[in-house]
Amino acid sequence: MISVVIYARYSCDNQREESIEGQLRECRDFCKKHNFCVVNEYIDRALSARTDNRPQFKKMINDSQNKTFEKVIVWKLDRFARNRNDSIIYKMKLLKNGVKVVSATEHISDSPEGVILESVLEGFAEYYSKDLSQKVTRGMKENFLKGKFNGGIPAYGFKVVNNKLVIDENEQKIVKRLFEIYTTTSLSLNKIAMMFNEEGLRNRQGKKFTQHQMNSLISNRKFIGELSFNGETISNALPISIDLKTFELAQQKKQANKINSSHFRNEDKYILSGKLYCGECNHKMIGESVNKSNGKTYRYYKCQVIKNRLKDFKCDNRPIKKDFIEHLVFDKVWDLITDSSYLEKLANKILEYLSNQNPLIPQLIATLTDINKKINNLLKAIEDGAPYKIVKEKLDKLATEKDEISNRLEIEKTTIKTLTYEQIIYALSKKPPFKDGEKDLSFKEQCINQIVNKVIIYKDGRIGIIFNYKNGNEPYSFDLNSSSLKSLGSL
């Protein structure tokens, strides 16, 4: 008795779960009639045959290597693939493992005429798939141009009537109130969501409103009549519920809040966290903010022992202002970066890097290796009997890619070591790349992270900085009381 497996699939092309049962029933009847033993069934639900990204399909192909079945039974050939290239590739893989694809409803012999018929059926399936896709997209665009609804869940504030989006009065009341409160008060979207929830208002699913939902509503351009599809936008395609002036005012406030929020996060970021230590007890100094009655916020670094009231430890070190210590440490880092001896070392490192590699070269070599591997695989496929005309197109494409990558690789190789030592020194000293970012917090943080190993604060005003360089365990130390810098180590 011949061992076989059944492969069934339905896509979203107006098919239902019931179609799977129909396919399986006919395939099982076919197997029973021909005395085949069904050892497994592979089923992909709601997945198109235009792609080979089908879990059960791939599992079936891999399982064929185990030699546990001799045939794959499909209801029709288009259940296997609607792409001729994929069909040929995977049928060849199955044949290599001694497995043949058989249609339960399309009676095709092994004669030359049968092979031609199978090719015609595969070509028709591919044509049908592509034609259907084009028709669906074309139909959706026509709906879009006519202001018709293309399916899915209608946006909040709208409902579908006669295949068109119209205003849902109940939901639009909430939308209009949202825009009114947001544009006339200082309340945030989160606060408005909380207000609505406290009043017992709920979203379409009967759940509480969230800040994310408020943000989506305040940004939805459908409320000003715009409809978009595939990158195209039509004005006045929908009934207008929010006037343009109010909508733009809401967008301006949202953008301003975004900038303010970003600024607040920067102000609240302690860039010396993890590097700042108390010189009295050797614990870390951590960030702390204090809101005063005058509305101002003061930020400090405070010893962990004092801030968290750690038991078994005592410390009387004083807190230090966040901005002061961060600016001071960055100034010392900046002095180090612009020091002539440091620039010399940095220039030599850059020169060494340029002499040894171009970061694009390894990527291009890897791409070239991958292309050569694909070419060898295709040549092997031809040796194994794959149709030359089908494989030739892929070979030609890969050959063109190989030439392009090879030329690019030669060009990149010629760019190695194009800068001289003098040019690098000039670029670093006369036009330092850090200058524009000198006052930028993220830039300061990056410099400090790369160059500073540890900062030590003492209660008598002394500060020590340990840099990440040779002999870096010997810190620079300076006394804040005398503003003098004493070197306890050398670069």
Side-chain angles (χ1 to χ4, degrees), residues 275-277 279 325 328-329 332 452-458 460-467 474-480 485-486 488:
K275 294 182 179 290
L276 195 60
Y277 284 80
I325 186 61
L328 188 144
V329 171
K332 302 307 172 188
V452 175
N453 180 278
K454 190 175 183 180
V455 180
I456 307 166
I457 306 288
Y458 299 90
D460 60 6
R462 288 180 297 121
I463 295 179
I465 303 178
I466 300 177
F467 295 110
E474 300 173 1
Y476 272 147
S477 177
F478 46 94
D479 190 339
L480 291 180
L485 179 64
K486 302 174 183 177
L488 300 182

Side-chain angles (χ1 to χ4, degrees), residues 21 80 82 110 121 125 139 151 180 187 240 244 277 346 381 383 398 407 418 443 460 474 488:
E21 297 306 320
F80 185 79
R82 280 190 184 169
D110 291 329
L121 289 172
E180 181 183 0
L187 290 179
I240 297 172
L244 184 59
Y277 284 80
L346 185 59
E383 292 176 3
L398 287 171
N407 291 336
T418 56
F443 170 76
D460 60 6
E474 300 173 1
L488 300 182

Side-chain angles (χ1 to χ4, degrees), residues 54-71:
R54 293 172 273 160
Q56 286 293 298
F57 179 81
K58 285 189 172 181
K59 188 175 188 305
M60 177 185 70
I61 300 296
N62 291 332
D63 288 350
S64 69
Q65 300 175 30
N66 300 328
K67 312 286 186 180
T68 57
F69 55 91
E70 299 174 49
K71 296 180 186 294

Side-chain angles (χ1 to χ4, degrees), residues 283-297:
H283 280 80
K284 288 182 179 179
M285 297 189 74
I286 53 183
E288 179 181 63
S289 61
V290 178
N291 296 318
K292 297 291 185 179
S293 57
N294 60 5
K296 291 185 178 180
T297 300

Side-chain angles (χ1 to χ4, degrees), residues 59-169:
K59 188 175 188 305
M60 177 185 70
I61 300 296
N62 291 332
D63 288 350
S64 69
Q65 300 175 30
N66 300 328
K67 312 286 186 180
T68 57
F69 55 91
E70 299 174 49
K71 296 180 186 294
V72 174
I73 310 301
V74 294
W75 177 60
K76 285 187 176 182
L77 290 174
D78 66 0
R79 299 300 91 188
F80 185 79
R82 280 190 184 169
N83 178 297
R84 278 176 294 182
N85 289 336
D86 283 349
S87 179
I88 291 166
I89 289 171
Y90 286 108
K91 280 184 180 178
M92 289 296 293
K93 285 186 177 182
L94 289 172
L95 281 175
K96 194 173 182 180
N97 296 326
V99 179
K100 185 180 178 183
V101 178
V102 177
S103 169
T105 58
E106 299 158 323
H107 305 295
I108 303 170
S109 67
D110 291 329
S111 65
E113 293 82 3
V115 173
I116 293 172
L117 174 60
E118 185 172 349
S119 177
V120 169
L121 289 172
E122 286 175 348
F124 180 76
E126 182 176 3
Y127 165 78
Y128 170 78
S129 177
K130 290 181 179 178
D131 185 56
L132 178 65
S133 175
Q134 290 176 358
K135 285 179 179 177
V136 169
T137 303
R138 193 184 310 123
M140 291 179 71
K141 186 170 183 179
E142 287 299 316
N143 286 344
F144 160 70
L145 294 172
K146 295 175 182 177
K148 291 185 177 181
F149 186 55
N150 266 324
I153 300 173
Y156 188 88
F158 294 92
K159 59 184 178 181
V160 180
V161 176
N162 296 327
N163 204 28
K164 285 199 171 187
L165 286 174
V166 299
I167 287 177
D168 183 310
E169 296 296 341

Side-chain angles (χ1 to χ4, degrees), residues 58 196 246 392:
K58 285 189 172 181
F196 284 4
T246 301
K392 184 178 182 300

